[in-house]
C-alpha cells in the first residue's frame, strides 16, 4: 500500500505517537525539577540525580538487577536458540505439540500465575529464594521470547545455503557454526537484548521469587511509588530511559553499517 | 564409526531435549504443584500448607486433598465479582485498543515504504523502556492536581480538578497506553501486506470508500485483529501493576486478588486456587492464540 497519506492518516500518526511519547518526555523533564512536589515546576536542578547515586539501597538493587538480567539473558539466549532450532529443523518429534504449547504459553500467561507457580516449585524443592530463583524464573520466561525471535529468522532465510554446505561435505555442526549461526546472528542479538530488558523490567515474577538477600530495582521502585511520587524515582527512570535510547541508537547504527557494508560487497 | 554416529545422534537429540527439559521442569511441573496446593489447606507452618508430599504415604497424602478452596471461591461473591470485572475491563480495553490502534497501523501501512521502518521502530521503542516507569508516569499526569488538570484548567476548559486517578478510567488509560504496541504491530503486519489494487478496483467500480473499507480492508485485516486482540486481552485479564497503581481500591481484578491472598493474607492454597481459576478462564483464548501464531509463522515461511 503506497498512496498519499490523507489528513486523517497524518492526524492518527501524530496523535498516536504523541500519546506514546508525551508521558515519557514529561517524566524526563520533571526529573530535572528543583521542587520536591513532583508536578510543580520549581526550576532546573540535578539534585535528584545526586540523591539517587547516594541512595545505597537503590544502587545495590540496581546492581543485583543488572547481574540477574545479564545472566538470565545469556542462559535464555542459548535455550531459546536451541528451542527455535528444534521447532524449525526437527520436523515432527515426539511431544512437539506440548513443546510448542510450553513455548507460547509463558508469553501470554499472566505474570502472577508464572510468578506464583515458580515460587511454589522452588519452595517444594527447598531452594532458598534470592538471586538464583529470580534468575531461573526470568530465564524460563524470556527464553520463549528468544525462541520466537530466532524462529522467525530461521524460517525466513534461504535453506539452500545450508544444503550447499552439507552437499560439499560439511558436517552438521560445522554447517551450523559457519553458515547458520552467522545468518541468524542478528536475531540472536535481538533476542538477547529483548530478554535482558524483560528481566530488568520485571516486577511481578521477581516479587514472588525474591528473598531477603536480593531485591531488584523494579521491586524497590514499586515500593517507593506505593508511598507516593518521588523525584528520585523520576531521576532513576530518566537514566533507565537514557540507557535504552543509547542502546537502541547504537544497535540501529550497527545494523545500518553492516547492511551498507554487505551492499557494498555485493557490488 | 558406529560409535561416532551414535554420539552424533545423541548430540543432535540434545537440541530439542535441553529446552524441552528446562520448560518441563520450570513451567509444567510448577503448574502441577499449583494444582496440588490449590487442593491443600493453609497451615501455620513452613511451608504454610498441609499436606506436604511424602513418598512413603501417597494414599494418606491424596486423602487429605480436597476442594475446600474452590468452595470458598464459589461461595464468596468477591471472587465472582473480581472475575467478571477482570474480563469486563480487559474486554473494554481491547476494544479501545482496536479503536486507537487501527488508525495508527493503517496510516503506518499507507506511509511511503522508506518511512515505514522508522515508524515501526517508533512503535517498538516505548516497549523497551520500563513498563513500571511508563505506568508511573501516568500517576503524575492523572492525579487531581496533576499535569492534565493543570493543562485543561490553563486552557479554561475545566473549573475544578479532574478525579481520574484511582478510578476505572485510569486503568483503561494505563492498559491502552502500555499495550498499544502489541495491538499496532500485528495489525500493521497484515495491513502492510494488503494488495492496494483491490481497493482501487472497488473504487473504480463505484463502491463508496467506507464500504470498500468494511468489505475489503477489515476482512483482510482480520488475522491481525484477532492476534492483536488476544495478545492484549489475555495478559490484561490477569494484570496486576496497572490496577494496583492507577485503579482505586474498588477496582477489582483477579490478578490483584491473587497478589493480596499471597502477600497480605499469606494464604498460599487460596492464592493457588485463584491462579487455577484465572488459568481456566484463559485456557480457550491461549489455545486460540497459539494456533493463530503457529499458523502465521508457517504461512510466512
Amino acid at each position: 500500500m503506497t498512496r498519499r497519506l490523507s489528513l486523517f492518516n497524518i492526524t492518527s500518526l501524530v496523535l498516536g505517537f504523541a500519546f506514546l511519547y508525551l508521558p515519557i518526555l514529561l517524566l524526563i523533564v520533571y526529573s530535572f525539577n528543583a521542587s520536591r512536589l513532583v508536578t510543580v515546576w520549581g526550576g532546573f536542578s540535578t539534585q535528584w540525580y545526586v540523591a539517587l547515586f547516594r541512595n545505597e539501597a537503590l544502587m545495590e538493587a540496581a546492581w543485583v538487577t543488572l547481574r540477574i538480567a545479564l545472566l538470565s539473558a545469556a542462559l535464555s539466549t542459548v535455550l531459546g536458540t536451541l528451542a527455535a532450532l528444534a521447532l524449525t529443523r526437527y520436523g515432527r518429534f515426539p511431544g512437539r505439540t506440548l513443546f510448542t504449547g510450553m513455548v507460547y504459553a509463558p508469553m501470554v500467561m499472566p505474570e502472577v500465575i508464572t510468578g506464583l507457580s515458580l515460587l511454589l516449585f522452588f519452595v517444594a524443592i527447598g531452594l532458598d529464594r534470592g538471586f538464583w530463583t529470580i534468575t531461573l524464573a526470568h530465564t524460563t520466561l524470556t527464553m520463549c521470547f528468544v525462541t520466537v525471535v530466532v524462529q522467525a529468522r530461521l524460517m525466513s532465510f534461504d535453506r539452500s545455503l545450508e544444503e550447499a554446505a552439507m552437499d560439499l561435505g560439511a558436517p552438521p555442526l560445522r554447517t551450523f557454526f559457519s553458515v547458520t549461526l552467522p545468518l541468524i546472528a542478528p536475531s540472536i542479538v535481538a533476542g538477547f537484548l529483548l530478554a535482558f530488558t524483560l528481566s530488568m523490567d520485571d516486577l511481578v515474577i521477581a516479587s514472588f521469587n525474591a528473598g531477603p538477600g536480593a531485591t531488584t530495582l523494579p521491586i524497590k521502585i514499586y515500593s517507593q511509588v506505593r508511598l507516593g511520587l518521588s523525584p528520585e524515582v523520576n531521576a532513576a527512570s530518566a537514566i533507565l530511559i537514557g540507557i535504552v535510547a543509547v542502546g537502541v541508537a547504537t544497535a540501529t547504527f550497527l545494523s545500518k553499517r553492516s547492511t551498507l557494508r554487505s551492499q557494498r560487497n555485493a557490488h | 564409526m558406529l560409535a561416532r554416529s551414535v554420539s552424533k545422534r545423541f548430540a543432535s537429540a540434545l537440541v530439542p531435549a535441553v529446552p524441552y527439559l528446562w520448560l518441563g521442569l520450570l513451567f509444567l511441573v510448577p503448574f502441577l504443584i499449583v494444582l496440588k496446593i490449590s487442593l491443600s489447606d493453609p497451615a501455620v507452618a513452613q511451608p504454610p500448607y498441609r499436606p506436604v508430599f511424602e513418598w512413603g504415604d501417597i494414599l494418606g497424602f491424596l486423602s487429605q486433598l480436597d476442594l475446600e478452596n474452590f468452595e470458598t471461591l464459589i461461595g464468596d461473591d468477591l471472587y465472582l465479582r473480581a472475575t467478571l470485572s477482570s474480563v469486563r475491563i480487559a474486554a473494554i480495553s481491547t476494544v479501545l485498543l482496536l479503536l486507537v490502534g487501527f488508525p495508527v497501523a493503517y496510516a503506518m501501512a499507507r506511509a511511503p515504504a522508506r518511512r515505514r521502518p522508522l515508524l515501526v521502530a517508533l512503535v517498538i521503542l516505548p516497549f523497551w523502556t520500563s513498563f513500571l516507569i511508563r505506568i508511573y508516569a501516568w500517576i503524575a499526569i492523572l492525579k487531581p492536581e496533576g499535569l492534565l488538570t493543570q493543562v485543561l484548567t490553563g486552557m479554561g476548559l475545566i473549573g475544578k480538578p479532574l478525579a481520574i486517578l484511582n478510578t476505572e478510567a485510569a486503568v483503561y488509560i494505563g492498559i491502552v497506553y502500555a499495550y498499544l504496541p502489541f495491538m499496532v504491530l500485528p495489525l500493521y503486519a497484515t495491513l502492510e501486506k494488503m494488495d492496494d489494487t483491490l481497493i482501487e478496483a472497488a473504487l473504480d467500480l463505484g463502491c463508496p470508500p467506507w464500504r470498500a473499507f468494511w468489505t475489503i480492508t477489515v476482512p483482510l485485516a482480520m488475522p491481525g485483529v484477532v492476534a492483536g486482540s488476544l495478545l492484549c486481552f489475555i495478559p490484561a485479564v490477569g494484570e496486576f501493576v496497572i490496577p494496583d497503581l492507577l485503579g482505586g481500591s474498588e477496582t477489582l481484578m483477579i490478578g490483584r486478588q491473587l497478589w493480596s491472598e499471597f502477600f497480605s493474607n499469606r494464604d498460599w492454597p487460596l492464592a493457588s486456587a485463584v491462579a487455577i481459576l484465572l488459568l481456566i478462564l484463559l485456557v480457550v483464548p491461549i489455545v486460540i492464540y497459539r494456533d493463530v501464531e503457529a499458523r502465521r509463522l508457517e504461512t510466512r515461511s
Side-chain angles (χ1 to χ4, degrees):
Chain A
M1 279 211 284
T2 313
R3 270 183 300 171
R4 277 179 56 84
L5 290 176
S6 67
L7 189 63
F8 176 72
N9 293 149
I10 294 171
T11 321
S12 340
L13 282 181
V14 170
L15 287 181
F17 285 116
F19 177 61
L20 280 178
Y21 283 93
L22 270 183
I24 301 176
L25 283 179
L26 283 171
L27 193 70
I28 296 174
V29 170
Y30 275 85
S31 72
F32 293 104
N33 188 0
S35 163
R36 179 162 264 291
L37 296 166
V38 174
T39 52
V40 180
W41 184 252
F44 180 86
S45 157
T46 50
Q47 58 170 316
W48 305 118
Y49 289 87
V50 178
L52 177 69
F53 283 104
R54 291 216 181 111
N55 187 333
E56 271 173 32
L58 222 54
M59 284 293 120
E60 170 65 27
W63 177 229
V64 171
T65 314
L66 192 67
R67 272 167 32 219
I68 291 176
L70 280 174
L71 191 59
S72 71
L75 278 170
S76 72
T77 304
V78 174
L79 287 165
T81 307
L82 289 177
L85 283 168
L87 286 174
T88 46
R89 296 289 188 266
Y90 278 74
R92 307 230 144 259
F93 55 87
R96 191 192 154 98
T97 316
L98 177 67
F99 189 61
T100 358
M102 289 196 299
V103 167
Y104 284 107
M107 286 189 288
V108 280
M109 193 71 74
E111 287 171 320
V112 280
I113 299 187
T114 317
L116 178 73
S117 63
L118 279 163
L119 161 80
L120 295 176
F121 170 71
F122 293 136
V123 170
I125 62 168
L127 197 60
D128 274 342
R129 277 185 274 170
F131 180 87
W132 285 104
T133 49
I134 304 178
T135 307
L136 289 176
H138 281 177
T139 307
T140 309
L141 175 76
T142 56
M143 70 170 276
C144 303
F145 287 87
V146 177
T147 308
V148 171
V149 173
V150 176
Q151 188 189 7
R153 177 78 188 143
L154 275 171
M155 281 179 150
S156 65
F157 86 75
D158 194 354
R159 282 298 288 275
S160 56
L161 292 168
E162 279 177 350
E163 280 156 17
M166 304 267 241
D167 286 348
L168 292 170
L173 260 181
R174 176 99 193 268
T175 310
F176 176 76
F177 281 107
S178 47
V179 178
T180 317
L181 197 59
L183 280 170
I184 61 171
S187 68
I188 292 180
V189 174
F192 176 86
L193 289 175
L194 183 60
F196 180 82
T197 26
L198 284 169
S199 167
M200 284 283 288
D201 193 24
D202 167 67
L203 165 73
V204 175
I205 293 173
S207 296
F208 277 100
N209 292 292
T215 306
T216 66
L217 196 57
I219 298 177
K220 264 271 177 304
I221 291 180
Y222 174 73
S223 61
Q224 288 216 356
V225 170
R226 297 232 58 189
L227 300 173
L229 296 175
S230 119
E232 268 177 47
V233 171
N234 280 2
S237 314
I239 291 177
L240 285 177
I241 293 168
I243 294 173
V244 169
V246 171
V248 171
T250 319
T252 320
F253 175 72
L254 288 178
S255 72
K256 268 252 170 66
R257 210 175 57 170
S258 76
T259 352
L260 279 182
R261 196 183 296 152
S262 62
Q263 275 170 357
R264 221 177 295 140
N265 291 346
H267 286 302
Chain B
M1 196 63 205
L2 184 71
R4 212 174 143 201
S5 93
V6 166
S7 78
K8 228 182 245 168
R9 271 265 200 69
F10 178 73
S12 137
L14 274 180
V15 173
V18 171
Y20 207 125
L21 284 177
W22 183 286
L23 284 173
L25 191 65
L26 283 136
F27 185 73
L28 209 58
V29 172
F31 267 125
L32 299 178
I33 295 176
V34 172
L35 189 63
K36 177 248 147 183
I37 291 176
S38 74
L39 301 173
S40 310
D41 297 322
V44 187
Q46 201 54 255
Y49 50 82
R50 285 288 171 270
V52 177
F53 187 78
E54 272 167 55
W55 284 109
D57 186 23
I58 292 178
L59 278 181
F61 165 79
L62 286 176
S63 69
Q64 282 186 63
L65 297 177
D66 55 45
L67 289 168
E68 210 174 285
N69 294 308
F70 291 94
E71 282 160 21
T72 312
L73 290 188
I74 294 167
D76 191 338
D77 81 320
L78 174 72
Y79 298 98
L80 180 67
R81 282 189 293 133
T83 309
L84 292 177
S85 146
S86 302
V87 172
R88 182 175 49 88
I89 289 176
I92 294 176
S93 306
T94 306
V95 172
L96 291 172
L97 274 158
L98 265 176
L99 292 177
V100 177
F102 203 99
V104 176
Y106 189 63
M108 282 169 63
R110 289 181 45 132
R114 71 199 151 83
R115 292 256 175 265
R116 285 183 212 156
L118 176 71
L119 293 173
V120 172
L122 281 174
V123 172
I124 298 175
L125 193 59
F127 174 74
W128 291 87
T129 64
S130 167
F131 175 78
L132 185 60
I133 289 171
R134 282 182 292 141
I135 295 306
Y136 165 78
W138 279 96
I139 300 179
I141 297 172
L142 295 177
K143 62 184 205 163
E145 68 279 22
L147 298 165
L148 188 63
T149 298
Q150 286 178 25
V151 169
L152 293 179
T153 325
M155 288 161 71
L157 288 174
I158 51 165
K160 59 176 181 3
L162 288 173
I164 300 182
L165 189 64
N166 301 331
T167 65
E168 224 171 88
V171 177
Y172 293 131
I173 294 175
I175 296 182
V176 171
Y177 178 67
Y179 290 21
L180 193 59
F182 294 111
M183 183 59 95
V184 170
L185 291 175
L187 282 176
Y188 166 77
T190 48
L191 285 172
E192 196 221 1
K193 276 185 298 200
M194 216 176 89
D195 186 357
D196 211 25
T197 54
L198 293 171
I199 299 273
E200 272 166 30
L203 294 179
D204 286 349
L205 292 170
C207 179
W210 62 267
R211 225 184 119 192
F213 178 79
W214 275 112
T215 50
I216 298 169
T217 312
V218 172
L220 283 176
M222 251 357 224
V225 172
V226 173
S229 301
L230 289 170
L231 209 50
C232 294
F233 178 81
I234 300 167
V237 171
E239 187 53 62
F240 163 75
V241 179
I242 298 174
D244 194 61
L245 290 181
L246 300 179
S249 52
E250 77 286 356
T251 311
L252 278 178
M253 285 192 82
I254 192 102
R256 216 176 164 188
Q257 219 55 50
L258 192 160
W259 183 282
S260 69
E261 289 305 341
F262 183 83
F263 286 103
S264 313
N265 304 344
R266 299 194 57 79
D267 190 338
W268 293 15
L270 197 58
S272 305
V274 176
I276 298 290
L277 176 75
L278 181 52
L279 200 64
I280 292 170
L281 209 61
L282 293 178
V283 155
V284 173
I286 288 178
V287 169
I288 299 175
Y289 171 76
R290 208 208 65 177
D291 284 355
V292 170
E293 269 309 283
R295 215 177 305 143
R296 200 172 64 87
L297 270 175
E298 261 152 41
T299 51
R300 216 166 53 179
S301 60

